Amino acid sequence: MERKAVLVDDHALLRNGLAGLVKELGYDVLFEADNGKEFTEKLNKDNLPDIVLMDINMPLMDGYDTAAWIKRHYPSIRILALSMYDDENAIIRMLKNGAGGYILKDTEPGELRKAMDAVCSKGFYYSEMVTGRLIHSIHSMQEENSPAKAVAGLNERELEFLKLAATELTYKEIAEQMHLSPRTIDGYRDDLFEKLNIRSRVGLVLFAIKNGIVRL
């Protein structure tokens, strides 16, 4: 039985080309939508897709809001974010809002197939940009209020920094919020990278989510 997909992207030419490719990969395309609002209007609760391939920047209802809506109303639908942007904030927001994978629009067809199959079967996709282990930690984390032992050695300022790192603030804006110099904030970040064996801001944020410092 063919898996069912829906494409949500406001670039019609790109979306139409993607639809043809997705069909070649063995998926049945139920429908296409220009934005999240049109997606919610076209969605048939009696014939739900297995996966939604979704752009982020769209008019009326963007990918962040659409992913959150899907997660809230139809959590069984898998989401694969397909974007031109590889910045950390976009990745963090899409993962927090329910996406199981995040790939770039210039991805080769072979990787798109792997990503779609993995998100459908496992709920997440491993890629070099966003590791499946970290994505998986969001979706499988324990619903508990007490933070894990790993955060026991962190002081209040480090915990405050982690919470602010999960927002869209830049490091400079975080420094202003905490009334510290950018150099001090860089020090907090580098110390946490070392303490937690993490190499990126995405990793810090997902660590904070997994351990209850930031709630979804």
Side-chain angles (χ1 to χ4, degrees), residues 17-87:
L18 182 62
L21 175 58
V22 168
K23 290 173 184 174
E24 287 179 17
L25 297 179
Y27 285 76
D28 177 25
V29 177
L30 294 181
F31 63 85
E32 301 172 30
D34 278 329
N35 53 65
K37 186 174 184 296
E38 185 179 342
F39 166 79
T40 62
E41 293 168 350
K42 285 186 172 182
L43 191 66
N44 178 359
K45 63 182 176 60
D46 296 319
N47 187 25
L48 294 175
D50 297 294
I51 187 170
V52 175
L53 276 68
M54 191 186 316
D55 191 14
I56 295 178
N57 291 326
M58 299 180 290
L60 299 179
M61 188 172 174
D62 64 19
Y64 305 119
D65 291 340
T66 309
W69 185 90
I70 293 172
K71 183 180 178 182
R72 187 164 60 250
H73 291 93
Y74 298 99
S76 64
I77 297 177
R78 306 296 196 185
I79 303 167
L80 178 62
L82 195 60
S83 177
M84 293 172 62
Y85 304 101
D86 62 355
D87 66 283

Side-chain angles (χ1 to χ4, degrees), residues 7 10-11 58 86 91-92 102 104 106 118 133 170 193:
L7 310 182
D10 61 325
H11 295 94
M58 299 180 290
D86 62 355
I91 296 170
I92 290 166
Y102 188 111
L104 300 180
D106 60 1
R133 179 175 60 81
T170 64
F193 281 170

Side-chain angles (χ1 to χ4, degrees), residues 127-140:
S127 69
E128 290 184 8
M129 186 171 61
V130 186
T131 70
R133 179 175 60 81
L134 289 174
I135 296 173
H136 187 60
S137 75
I138 286 183
H139 298 294
S140 64

Side-chain angles (χ1 to χ4, degrees), residues 93-148:
R93 284 188 67 188
M94 283 304 289
L95 296 183
K96 285 174 68 176
N97 286 12
Y102 188 111
I103 62 175
L104 300 180
K105 287 186 175 181
D106 60 1
T107 295
E108 293 293 329
E111 185 177 355
L112 176 63
R113 177 200 289 273
K114 285 194 295 183
M116 292 181 67
D117 290 349
V119 169
C120 282
S121 61
K122 297 186 291 186
F124 61 94
Y125 170 64
Y126 172 91
S127 69
E128 290 184 8
M129 186 171 61
V130 186
T131 70
R133 179 175 60 81
L134 289 174
I135 296 173
H136 187 60
S137 75
I138 286 183
H139 298 294
S140 64
M141 68 180 182
Q142 297 292 325
E143 289 296 325
E144 58 187 2
N145 294 321
S146 60

